[in-house]
Amino acid sequence: MLESVLAIPFWIEFAGTITGGLAGAIAGVNARYDVFGTTTLACVTGLGGGIMRDVLLQDFGIYAFQHPILLIACAVTGMLVFYFHKLADAFDWFMDFLDNLSVGLWAVVSVGKALSAGLDTIPSIILGTITAVGGGIIRDILMAQRPTAFQAGTLYGTASLIGSAAFALMKQNDVLGDYAAITCVMLIFILRYASEFFGWHTHPAQDYSDRVIEPVKKVAHVAAKPVKKAVKNAVEKRIVTTPPPPQVPHHEKAAHRERLRAEAQARMAASIATSGASKQENTETSPNESKERPE
């Protein structure tokens, strides 16, 4: 079991589970799900990220199944929200606070477990981020919605990543290690609320190909100028140094044309004479052949 390598106060994991369950149950109520669907979303959102983490860790079992009290707490939370959701709506600001708290707590718990399980800094940061936003991603997938963590908008997954990185680096390098957990949670809180207050938003994909191609074209054009100039000079030099073809006088051109015309007429006359002789031979041969033919 993972407790053998890491001692985390149970109340931290319990608080993260409850706050995640509240967020999932509210989503189910807003989607007009029944009590079973709302309770399921509460359990999935509260425990889904931790289950994903434990599956990736492989060797320590599923923590939520080793502590059924977490499942029961999520189920009870879902049922309470289902029957008293107006109270949750009245304290919307408090629900938002709990959601941010859930993200920070799950980041702390999961990075700590990953480090204690022997993983390096980068895998620990990845596991912390996956756990922090994994429950919400599974919830959105079950509700046939685009995962909120992947959409452009206020800092959500990015805040989880930064908080997990801060906690992992502080723990690994023993920099204020006793305050690493609270630093992670506070950093995620500050980033989440500051992104809403100051309008810090992530943006969808943008294409900067033209901005890259235009400078390259300009550089290529400037670099090609010396080459073009050298080629032009070489061509002009060759044209200047090459002697022009000799000029033939006009009367010689006329005599040449007359000579070609006479030769063509002579060839034509010879061709006509040859064809006439062959016809005469054929005419003389034909009567002899008819006399020799037997009756």
Side-chain angles (χ1 to χ4, degrees), residues 96-174:
D96 188 49
F97 171 83
L98 291 178
D99 184 41
N100 293 333
L101 177 64
S102 173
V103 173
L105 291 175
W106 278 122
V108 169
V109 170
S110 299
V111 172
K113 288 187 176 184
L115 291 174
S116 296
L119 296 181
D120 203 354
T121 303
I122 294 178
S124 300
I125 294 172
I126 294 173
L127 277 183
T129 305
I130 289 175
T131 308
V133 301
I137 292 174
I138 298 175
R139 175 200 63 204
D140 294 337
I141 292 174
L142 291 177
M143 298 180 69
Q145 298 177 357
R146 293 182 300 172
T148 304
F150 298 157
Q151 295 184 41
T154 56
L155 302 181
Y156 184 66
T158 305
S160 306
L161 177 64
I162 295 174
S164 299
F167 181 69
L169 291 173
M170 292 176 70
K171 273 293 186 181
Q172 281 288 77
N173 298 290
D174 198 19

Side-chain angles (χ1 to χ4, degrees), residues 197-243:
F197 184 78
F198 294 106
W200 297 345
H201 291 82
T202 57
H203 301 282
Q206 298 178 356
D207 192 359
Y208 295 99
S209 301
D210 294 337
R211 297 186 183 182
V212 175
I213 292 173
E214 289 301 325
V216 172
K217 285 183 178 180
K218 292 180 180 179
V219 172
H221 181 70
V222 173
K225 280 184 178 180
V227 178
K228 291 181 179 179
K229 187 176 181 180
V231 172
K232 183 178 179 181
N233 293 336
V235 172
E236 291 177 351
K237 185 177 180 181
R238 183 175 180 183
I239 292 174
V240 172
T241 55
T242 303

Side-chain angles (χ1 to χ4, degrees), residues 165-189:
F167 181 69
L169 291 173
M170 292 176 70
K171 273 293 186 181
Q172 281 288 77
N173 298 290
D174 198 19
V175 178
L176 301 175
D178 295 335
Y179 301 97
I182 189 65
T183 301
C184 172
V185 175
M186 291 302 299
L187 184 59
I188 291 175
F189 259 88

